Amino acid sequence: MINKNRTFFILSLSFPLLLFSFCNIYAQQNQPLVAENITLSDPKLKIELVASGLDFPTTMAFLGRDDFLILEKNTGNVKRFVNGTMLEKPLLHVKSSIKDERGLLGIAISEKKNFFDNPFFIENKNLTHNVFLYYVECNEKNLNCQNRIYKYDLNNKNNVLINPKFLVGVPSFPDASHIGGIIDIGPDENLYVTVGNFQNTIPTKLYKTKTQNYENGEPVDGRAGILRLTQDGYPVLNANGTGILGKKYPLNIYYAYGIRNSFGIDFDPVTDKLWDTENGPQFGDEINMVEPGFNSGSDRVYGIWEANELGDRSKNKKGEYVVVGNNPANLVYFDGKGHYNPPEFIWVKTIAPTALLFLDSDKLGSNYKNDMFVGSADGGRIFHFDLNERRDGLVLKGNLTDKIAKDKTDFADILFAEGFSIITDLKQSPDGYPYIVSGLKQSKTAKFGAVFRIVPAGTTTTNTDDKLDIVKQQTKEENSNIISTITNANTTAANTDLLSNQENSPKKTNTNVLVDIAPKPSNTTKTIDVKAWDNLIRQNLNKPHIQSK
């Protein structure tokens, strides 16, 4: 039952396990992950390590250039990095369930707007941004859980998140899997939230709802879709007071449905159209263009194939997989308000796609501007796609003209990078460079979560004199020949003022272990040795933190 005071459920962000239904990929982070190197397919680009030592980071959001917030799934900490330096004290700590895919999961940020958008009407000039957080709250026994979205005020002077406002929540029943949880702010300034179907590989009656394409299923309850809300948590309604699919709550907050689980959404900067990544069961990972009322087909269809109750591809009497058409008869269409479209791209063997990013920048070169990048959990890969002239499909060549990658042998034309372990987020910074959030390796004694960025090979993002000074200092004090830890000296005037004017500002911890790594050439790619990072991180774990003066 849905609480009338809008206690509605929105799900939490997670990243799929590469076996069966991917339910336990978060738990997998406690195991050593093999990622011996990171490779880029373009030799004109290089990778920089922006931050490391994070405890399973999930998603990030930028406040400004070289200034971002990042979430740690299991600690419940919201951390801030300014000019490559982490503020030692988190801006917020939340108590969240961390079972399986639960945790502190999604974040989105918007600038505060005041009366008439006039700075003279700002009530408190220290409260500069709205910060939306998505996490799962339970009682002490991990029962009576809710997936919740809160809206906070950022006090930019004291570096804290305050004034929490509960927007929406959902009873998290009964499993801590297939939760979704990405939050994004669209061109219309509304919140868009991905919601999984809460089910294991074998669904039960409890999971069979209309938005999972069961015509006689349970009432709509908010799962299995992309929801659209105002920044105050209300439905976005048409002029006649209805939502896209219907009048009643929560059906009126659905933007799309029939989605098993999604960890990536972004808007095309040219058309403002929404695109997503979706996770299939043992097959059928997808990329979709998501129009209002889009039905992705789950739990009945994955990829272009009909699925049975066990999440396998159905077969006909000849033993052939059943391929669906453009209007499958066994889906739910909500009196014609919903519509099905086949995916724009499919991976037959699951790669667990996660984040999706449109690069609205030419900083990597004009050939990448407005292109799509998709991260994955399997192999820490980034896939790169050009869009067609109408921007309603992808430009695909060779074996991919049928929009289907059958296995790794089909990756050659679309593989942009790999070896990032588990990619949990991709974001574009205000200066136009793509950032990658990675779990990397993790153990009980060390934290290897990291943030990287990709820049042209000739780009200099650190102050050479400062870098040399630090190298000399480390060589003298530690008598070691390791790569030095450096602080990014690209301090903007705005961020300098921000830090110098903070009252009771916390001490800052430098986590830029390898800010600018020179990649080693490997045939046509550039390779970076992750073992060097690991060794350096271990050495630095036992050192006092570098603190700001």
Side-chain angles (χ1 to χ4, degrees), residues 235 237 240-253 337:
L237 303 178
N240 59 2
T242 65
I244 295 169
L245 298 179
K247 295 181 179 180
K248 293 184 179 180
Y249 187 87
L251 185 61
N252 63 359
I253 66 173
K337 298 181 181 69

Side-chain angles (χ1 to χ4, degrees), residues 88-104:
E88 188 175 52
K89 184 178 179 181
L91 276 66
L92 179 73
H93 171 78
V94 300
K95 185 177 181 181
S96 174
S97 169
I98 60 174
K99 178 178 172 58
D100 297 338
E101 297 185 10
R102 292 174 179 159
L104 178 56

Side-chain angles (χ1 to χ4, degrees), residues 366-377:
S366 58
N367 54 316
Y368 292 114
K369 186 175 182 180
N370 296 325
D371 289 358
M372 178 193 295
F373 295 83
V374 172
S376 76

Side-chain angles (χ1 to χ4, degrees), residues 194-483:
T194 67
V195 179
N197 64 9
F198 286 119
Q199 73 174 18
N200 285 314
T201 302
I202 302 176
T204 64
K205 185 176 185 297
L206 186 62
Y207 292 109
K208 296 180 179 179
T209 64
K210 290 182 182 297
T211 52
Q212 293 167 256
N213 287 293
Y214 294 101
E215 185 65 60
N216 299 317
E218 299 297 314
V220 173
D221 59 8
R223 74 182 70 203
I226 296 175
L227 309 181
R228 181 176 63 171
L229 303 155
T230 70
Q231 293 193 25
D232 289 316
Y234 294 102
V236 179
L237 303 178
N238 299 321
N240 59 2
T242 65
I244 295 169
L245 298 179
K247 295 181 179 180
K248 293 184 179 180
Y249 187 87
L251 185 61
N252 63 359
I253 66 173
Y254 275 84
Y255 188 83
Y257 66 104
I259 293 173
R260 180 178 182 268
N261 211 9
S262 174
F263 304 118
I265 56 175
D266 198 11
F267 291 85
D268 184 337
V270 178
T271 66
D272 288 343
K273 299 290 186 181
L274 179 65
W275 291 69
D276 78 352
T277 63
E278 297 182 32
N279 297 114
Q282 298 95 323
F283 68 96
D285 293 342
E286 303 174 1
I287 298 174
N288 292 289
M289 187 174 73
V290 184
E291 299 273 16
F294 172 68
N295 180 359
S296 190
S298 175
D299 294 346
R300 303 286 196 178
V301 177
Y302 299 109
I304 56 172
W305 301 282
E306 182 180 290
N308 60 27
E309 291 289 321
L310 299 179
D312 296 322
R313 282 186 280 184
S314 299
K315 294 183 178 180
N316 59 24
K317 293 181 180 180
K318 297 180 180 180
E320 301 167 332
Y321 294 125
V322 177
V323 176
V324 302
N326 289 335
N327 294 289
N330 61 343
L331 301 186
V332 176
Y333 293 104
F334 293 103
D335 298 324
K337 298 181 181 69
H339 59 89
Y340 170 81
N341 284 315
E344 294 304 324
F345 193 77
I346 301 166
W347 288 270
V348 176
K349 294 184 178 180
T350 185
I351 53 94
T354 53
L356 185 151
L357 170 69
F358 281 97
L359 189 65
D360 185 16
S361 164
D362 61 1
K363 286 297 185 72
L364 298 188
S366 58
N367 54 316
Y368 292 114
K369 186 175 182 180
N370 296 325
D371 289 358
M372 178 193 295
F373 295 83
V374 172
S376 76
D378 180 26
R381 298 184 180 94
I382 300 176
F383 297 92
H384 167 232
F385 299 93
D386 287 308
L387 273 71
N388 61 24
E389 187 174 351
R390 295 175 55 186
R391 299 192 70 82
D392 59 359
L394 307 177
V395 176
L396 301 167
K397 301 181 294 184
N399 292 340
L400 300 180
T401 53
D402 60 358
K403 302 183 180 182
I404 299 173
K406 298 176 180 60
D407 54 38
K408 294 179 183 179
T409 61
D410 288 335
F411 290 176
D413 288 335
I414 58 174
L415 187 62
F416 178 73
E418 62 182 332
F420 285 100
S421 186
I422 292 177
I423 292 176
T424 58
D425 203 7
L426 298 172
K427 286 292 192 301
Q428 178 180 316
S429 68
D431 58 8
Y433 296 116
Y435 279 56
I436 302 106
V437 181
S438 168
L440 271 178
K441 296 181 181 180
Q442 204 159 310
S443 69
K444 294 181 179 179
T445 58
K447 302 170 185 177
F448 295 95
V451 179
F452 303 88
R453 67 183 160 212
I454 298 176
V455 299
T459 302
T460 301
T461 57
T462 56
N463 184 295
T464 306
D465 293 337
D466 288 349
K467 184 173 181 178
L468 290 175
D469 288 343
I470 294 173
V471 171
K472 292 177 182 177
Q473 183 180 7
Q474 279 211 321
T475 303
K476 180 179 179 180
E477 294 180 359
E478 304 180 62
N479 296 318
S480 70
N481 195 27
I482 63 172
I483 304 173

Side-chain angles (χ1 to χ4, degrees), residues 5-23:
N5 60 7
R6 293 179 27 249
T7 303
F8 168 67
F9 66 91
I10 293 182
L11 309 163
S12 9
L13 159 99
S14 12
F15 301 86
L17 174 64
L18 299 177
L19 296 172
F20 302 101
S21 64
F22 306 130
C23 289

